[in-house]
Amino acid sequence: MSALSVRRYGDVWLVPDAGRVITRPFLPGEEVFADGTSRIELVGRRIREMDEAAVLATLQLVYEEFEGRHRDLESVLRSNFEVVASRIELGNESSRERKLLVGAYFSHEYSIEAAALGNPSMVLAPDQSRLAAGEIRFIMSLRAVGEGHISSIEFRSGVIDDEMGISLDKPGRYVDTGRRKGARYDKAFFELKLAELGALNDLARRVLAYVDSRFTMEELETALRMLDEQGVDRLLSAETRHVLHWLASSNYRVEFPGDRDISERVIFPGGPTESHGMEDVRMARFVHDDGRVVYYGTYTAFDGYQILPQLLETADFESFRIATLSGAGAQNKGIALFPRMLDGEFVALGRHDNVNNFLMRSVDVRVWGETERIQEPERPWELTQLGNCGSPLETEAGWLVITHGVGPFRRYSLGALLLDLDDPCRVIGHLKEPLLTPRADEREGYVPNVVYSCGSMIVGDHVVLPYGFADVGASIATVGLEQLLTRLTE
């Protein structure tokens, strides 16, 4: 049997750019010196003792070195000054420049993609204006990995023409992590998640009794203070306080100015569950029964010890809601939503046992309980484990699912399944051979011998398949839809 004809786009070749940097507060070690002063206080005292001429000269050098690397350097310095302002004593008469210099000393740059840029998913962009006839615009999400293996979510945009020519837009000059806002929390969901964590104890119930069915972080803090008023020992309530704060902080919003290029918007870890990374977002353009379009992205949050499935939601890629997933099926990596409801339910693929592919159904997109195994490792190239590579694609023949499988030498290959349109638990096609394997120039990298995708799309009569290679870079391939469906249904 001849191999499937897969076209790789060698001119679409994304590799890490260490020059894409964000700013983060820099807080030196917390050691205390002989006189009882912390390092932060010591640095603040040294800046306070600088004469004004030295302050101005040093600040001028900061602007010369860094102003061209950030859109609004002054606001960065002001913000990072506020982070440490309560820890240092500058005096009431301190100049604006001295405060900005404090902000500079307590700032550092972080290269978001210094180590890797890969594992892409692709969706139709919400804005399809200003295009030539036959063109479509897409948005691609990517996993960017920087120092300490911390992953964040980046975006790129591009255009596909009527002859399947693919071009990526040039990334913007700056990088923006947006403005974080607290979310409104659902009490029923909180109780469910606390029960899963084994933390729905008497103290947690007592706290939640003081909040409404929808509450804010401020209202949660007020409820927690009730424990003090009731005389509950802080040592007894410490763990409950920690878990409630941990769960609330893992649900938030991120907003970006509308004039920022999509490539400049980066969702950087913001909650404690994702402190060590936001991995492998699988984007889905979801069309609700009333025609409303929402983009859902399922991803894996990692805190250095455990992983937790999370969900981002956006209508415009400017405002994002981040929420924790719950339920027995919301475990492990690789949850991928179907792009519409089936029989009044959300449907998703999952891999909660880390080996097999499962189908899940739910009336709530954030709570997943019911699961059914639909595929086990069978082919030689997937015997170790398998999983999905993003949201299923709807075709007249069935739901097309791009999969990944792990074979000898932990080589990752991409395959495909075809699921029944009406009963997606029923597999009606399974590729006998891999769809895509690592090419010679795609084998070497941070993790050798890997190709991996988090979501593809159908454009005309082709499947457009973005993929990461060797956990270092990303590219795009296409395959004829009819050819692939024919092979799946043989």
Side-chain angles (χ1 to χ4, degrees):
M1 182 183 297
S2 61
L4 285 164
S5 177
V6 176
R7 174 186 175 187
R8 280 173 160 92
Y9 287 70
D11 54 339
V12 181
W13 193 257
L14 290 164
V15 291
D17 177 2
R20 289 176 61 79
V21 294
I22 61 175
T23 57
R24 308 292 297 165
F26 170 62
L27 303 178
E30 287 296 302
E31 67 264 33
V32 177
F33 298 98
D35 63 354
T37 304
S38 71
R39 184 185 289 193
I40 289 177
E41 293 168 333
L42 181 60
V43 173
R45 186 171 67 196
R46 289 168 178 163
I47 298 171
R48 185 180 70 236
E49 293 172 353
M50 293 175 69
D51 62 60
E52 197 65 21
V55 167
L56 295 175
T58 307
L59 186 62
Q60 178 63 30
L61 289 174
V62 168
Y63 272 87
E64 290 175 2
E65 286 284 335
F66 295 97
E67 190 170 26
R69 295 165 67 86
H70 305 282
R71 177 177 274 107
D72 186 354
L73 183 59
E74 181 165 333
S75 67
V76 169
L77 302 184
R78 284 201 309 268
S79 176
N80 288 346
F81 165 75
E82 294 298 332
V83 171
V84 298
S86 63
R87 302 280 302 276
I88 60 178
E89 297 180 8
L90 286 185
N92 296 329
E93 304 302 319
S94 291
S95 66
R96 162 185 164 273
E97 289 78 12
R98 194 175 297 268
K99 292 177 180 178
L100 292 176
L101 186 59
V102 169
Y105 274 98
F106 291 101
S107 300
H108 76 115
E109 290 185 331
Y110 182 87
S111 179
I112 55 173
E113 59 184 59
L117 184 67
N119 296 4
S121 69
M122 178 185 284
V123 289
L124 188 71
D127 181 8
Q128 294 293 317
S129 62
R130 303 181 306 280
L131 293 170
E135 292 183 337
I136 66 103
R137 180 176 291 112
F138 63 85
I139 289 177
M140 183 190 300
S141 66
L142 293 146
R143 177 186 177 186
V145 184
E147 177 189 357
H149 202 75
I150 297 176
S151 305
S152 54
I153 300 170
E154 283 197 45
F155 301 100
R156 296 288 191 277
S157 59
V159 172
I160 304 175
D161 64 30
D162 57 357
E163 295 183 352
M164 293 308 297
I166 301 177
S167 60
L168 285 176
D169 299 326
K170 184 179 178 181
R173 179 180 179 184
Y174 303 107
V175 179
D176 190 343
T177 56
R179 184 166 61 94
R180 297 192 181 278
K181 299 175 61 178
R184 293 194 69 85
Y185 311 114
D186 182 271
K187 182 159 72 171
F189 176 82
F190 244 65
E191 291 173 340
L192 177 63
K193 194 66 186 178
L194 288 170
E196 285 181 19
L197 296 168
L200 189 58
N201 55 29
D202 177 67
L203 288 179
R205 288 191 177 94
R206 201 184 302 184
V207 170
L208 293 178
Y210 283 97
V211 299
D212 295 330
S213 59
R214 301 276 293 172
F215 61 93
T216 64
M217 178 67 87
E218 291 73 20
E219 290 165 341
L220 178 62
E221 294 287 2
T222 299
L224 284 167
R225 285 195 291 273
M226 295 295 294
L227 295 180
D228 295 328
E229 296 174 9
Q230 293 171 2
V232 177
D233 192 314
R234 280 266 177 164
L235 291 175
L236 295 177
S237 65
E239 184 62 25
T240 296
R241 293 173 184 273
H242 169 74
V243 173
L244 287 169
H245 277 128
W246 175 85
L247 187 54
S249 299
S250 300
N251 294 262
Y252 57 91
R253 291 182 178 273
V254 182
E255 295 182 352
F256 295 90
D259 61 353
R260 299 289 190 267
D261 187 84
I262 185 68
S263 65
E264 297 182 324
R265 304 170 198 170
V266 174
I267 304 177
F268 195 79
T273 58
E274 57 198 28
S275 59
H276 281 60
M278 311 168 77
E279 302 179 0
D280 302 344
V281 62
R282 286 161 160 79
M283 297 299 303
R285 182 181 183 271
F286 193 96
V287 182
H288 285 268
D289 292 344
D290 60 4
R292 179 171 52 96
V293 175
V294 176
Y295 294 88
Y296 290 117
T298 48
Y299 69 93
T300 303
F302 181 52
D303 66 0
Y305 301 97
Q306 62 182 355
I307 59 176
L308 191 70
Q310 298 252 114
L311 180 77
L312 66 82
E313 175 185 342
T314 184
D316 52 14
F317 288 87
E318 295 177 14
S319 178
F320 296 84
R321 177 186 176 186
I322 308 295
T324 303
L325 296 182
S326 183
Q331 307 294 328
N332 221 302
K333 299 183 177 184
I335 295 175
L337 285 167
F338 280 61
R340 62 177 176 86
M341 300 186 84
L342 301 180
D343 299 325
E345 293 182 309
F346 293 97
V347 184
L349 297 172
R351 194 187 60 176
H352 60 77
D353 68 352
N354 202 34
V355 176
N356 304 295
N357 272 324
F358 290 80
L359 190 100
M360 307 187 293
R361 297 177 182 272
S362 176
V363 295
D364 188 331
V365 72
R366 293 173 183 82
V367 181
W368 298 92
E370 178 187 345
T371 69
E372 183 173 346
R373 186 166 56 197
I374 63 171
Q375 185 193 14
E376 300 177 359
E378 179 182 347
R379 312 297 192 209
W381 47 275
E382 62 183 19
L383 283 185
T384 302
Q385 69 182 49
L386 46 76
N388 70 75
C389 283
S391 179
L393 306 173
E394 188 169 6
T395 75
E396 292 183 356
W399 292 103
L400 175 61
V401 179
I402 306 300
T403 64
H404 70 262
V406 181
F409 264 81
R410 198 177 175 265
R411 186 178 81 155
Y412 276 66
S413 303
L414 303 188
L417 287 180
L418 194 63
L419 309 180
D420 187 86
L421 272 181
D422 299 318
D423 180 14
C425 282
R426 191 166 73 89
V427 178
I428 58 178
H430 181 190
L431 275 189
K432 295 179 175 62
E433 73 282 354
L435 173 62
L436 196 74
T437 58
R439 201 171 54 180
D441 59 345
E442 298 168 343
R443 292 186 61 182
E444 312 301 342
Y446 189 60
V447 181
N449 307 308
V450 170
V451 288
Y452 194 87
S453 179
C454 290
S456 48
M457 60 188 294
I458 294 174
V459 178
D461 55 1
H462 285 80
V463 177
V464 182
L465 176 59
Y467 65 96
F469 54 86
D471 271 19
V472 66
S475 187
I476 294 178
T478 59
V479 62
L481 177 60
E482 183 177 353
Q483 179 193 21
L484 180 55
L485 293 176
T486 298
R487 187 63 59 87
L488 280 164
T489 54
E490 284 176 338

